[in-house]
Amino acid sequence: MTALVILVGFLLSLPSMGCLKNDILRLNIKKEPNLDPNTVCKTYPELSQTQYDLCRKYPDVTASAIQGVQIGIHECQHQLRTHRWNCSSLERKNKNPHASPLLKRGFKETAFAYAISAAGVTHQVSKACSLGKLKSCGCDMSVYGVNRDFEWGGCSHNVDFGEQYAKRFMDSKEMARDIHSRINLHNNRAGRLAVIRNVQKQCKCHGMSGSCELKTCWKAAPNFREVGDLLKRKFKAATKVQIHIGNAASGRLIKQNGRRPRQSDLLYYQKSPSFCEPNNRLDSPGTTGRLCNKSSDGVDNCGTLCCGRGYNILKVRRSERCNCKFYWCCYVECQTCTYNEWVTVCK
């Protein structure tokens, strides 16, 4: 029964277009191992020359990296969903989110977007290696010490390769060596560290009737929601820095108290705007039309999110899947239920 419940949950969790679909490139990487470099490299715009060269040489790895950026932006939207700037402007079909004007500034929000994107690339490439989807890498076959309780085996996620490719692919855009580039490089590294420092051990039992006479374990990248939660905490505690002594290329990044930041800190150097009104120069849509919570004490309360403009109460119709039934084997049929509800929307 437990296995059946897990299978039903898995099937319900699959997106309608397939869980391996790359929404930006419109590729199913698992079914297209021999990718045409032009399909990948010319579909995803505004790559730097180094990124384009990497893409031409490793189109399958780059396709997974681009999918990782997409996963990172989706997680950014989830983590900042109650904030005035909620990452929505970064998700554009067939467009590179790093081309957004906001990511050319030094805000806390910029730091989070860079870190979560770098984490997404590290995570996705690491998993793709272990799934046998990429020609350039496979499982991490390292043995992490001897343990009497279990044996190392299975197919560990190749986080070393994922981290290295994320560094090459993401950092290559930061060639200026000014304070903006240096901070972007730092935040990219913080994103990668959020994955590689939280690799987890997963195990499977072997034996008669489900006994655990022998246990095989492997290393796996953390669930990406856990990575997002970690980086959200880093976002809340982000550190404002400046260059100390020398020029931007040689000086040290220091906090306002004179101390050097940690590698895992998120850094910024510009105060964020209010994000209340639309601002095309920052690619910020403002908060008009956003749902707010009039009874909340958090940043999504109507007073804060609506920036004092007030809100409207509207009746809306919402549809969702319901009364789902699992049929052996292996599909799920659901009805569509429609609800009428009242919502509060910023003026």
Side-chain angles (χ1 to χ4, degrees), residues 1 77 92-93 98 121 132 151 180 198 214 295 305:
M1 179 59 71
Q77 292 175 336
R92 309 167 172 189
K93 293 294 184 182
H98 285 79
V121 174
E151 292 184 3
H180 183 73
N198 292 281
L214 174 64
S295 60
L305 193 61

Side-chain angles (χ1 to χ4, degrees), residues 30-278:
K30 189 172 182 179
K31 294 182 180 180
E32 298 183 51
N34 298 312
L35 292 177
D36 178 2
N38 289 327
T39 303
V40 178
C41 310
K42 293 188 177 180
T43 302
Y44 197 64
E46 300 189 57
L47 295 174
S48 69
Q49 185 60 50
T50 302
Q51 287 179 319
Y52 186 78
D53 292 341
L54 274 173
C55 185
R56 296 283 300 176
K57 189 173 183 179
Y58 308 108
D60 55 344
V61 187
T62 303
S64 282
I66 292 170
Q67 191 174 37
V69 173
Q70 172 187 316
I71 289 170
I73 296 306
H74 288 173
E75 185 63 21
C76 182
Q77 292 175 336
H78 171 79
Q79 295 293 342
L80 300 187
R81 63 192 182 280
T82 60
H83 290 244
R84 289 176 180 172
W85 186 79
N86 61 0
C87 291
S88 61
S89 60
L90 299 184
E91 185 173 36
R92 309 167 172 189
K93 293 294 184 182
N94 288 345
K95 290 188 177 180
N96 186 340
H98 285 79
S100 168
L102 187 133
L103 296 196
K104 294 177 173 57
R105 307 297 288 271
F107 307 141
K108 286 176 61 175
E109 293 76 10
T110 307
F112 185 75
Y114 268 89
I116 199 74
S117 297
V121 174
T122 305
H123 193 273
Q124 191 64 18
V125 173
S126 300
K127 289 180 61 178
C129 289
S130 66
L131 291 172
K133 293 161 59 175
L134 308 180
K135 296 179 181 179
S136 304
C137 63
C139 304
D140 179 1
M141 304 303 293
S142 304
V143 176
Y144 302 88
V146 179
N147 195 301
R148 295 180 180 179
D149 298 328
F150 61 87
E151 292 184 3
W152 288 109
C155 184
S156 293
H157 292 172
N158 200 333
V159 292
D160 287 340
F161 184 91
E163 192 271 341
Q164 292 167 12
Y165 197 83
K167 177 177 174 62
R168 294 178 67 186
F169 186 75
M170 303 295 283
D171 287 4
S172 62
K173 291 182 70 72
E174 309 302 330
M175 304 298 292
R177 304 302 297 171
D178 55 9
I179 185 174
H180 183 73
S181 290
R182 290 189 60 186
I183 286 179
N184 289 345
L185 290 172
H186 177 99
N187 291 325
N188 282 346
R189 179 169 57 179
R192 299 194 301 269
L193 289 175
V195 177
I196 64 178
R197 287 185 175 178
N198 292 281
V199 170
Q200 302 166 350
K201 182 181 72 175
Q202 294 184 355
C203 298
K204 181 178 182 180
C205 286
H206 310 277
M208 297 295 292
S209 302
S211 66
C212 208
E213 298 174 6
L214 174 64
K215 186 161 62 173
T216 303
C217 300
W218 60 93
K219 293 288 187 177
N223 182 286
F224 200 66
R225 178 54 43 82
E226 296 175 15
V227 176
D229 291 342
L230 172 62
L231 290 175
K232 174 66 176 298
R233 294 193 293 272
K234 298 287 185 182
F235 168 75
K236 290 182 177 179
T239 302
K240 189 174 183 180
V241 295
Q242 60 189 15
I243 295 290
H244 177 67
I245 304 176
N247 57 36
S250 61
R252 290 185 296 133
L253 293 173
I254 62 168
K255 299 192 286 187
Q256 291 181 323
N257 61 10
R259 297 182 178 180
R260 300 188 69 174
R262 293 173 296 182
Q263 290 183 335
S264 59
D265 289 339
L266 295 190
L267 308 183
Y268 68 101
Y269 65 96
Q270 287 181 314
K271 181 181 178 181
S272 299
S274 68
F275 295 115
C276 287
E277 304 298 334

Side-chain angles (χ1 to χ4, degrees), residues 12 320-325 327 332-337:
L12 286 173
E320 64 180 30
R321 293 195 301 173
C322 62
N323 302 324
C324 296
K325 292 183 179 181
Y327 292 89
V332 176
E333 284 188 353
C334 300
Q335 297 176 350
T336 299
C337 294

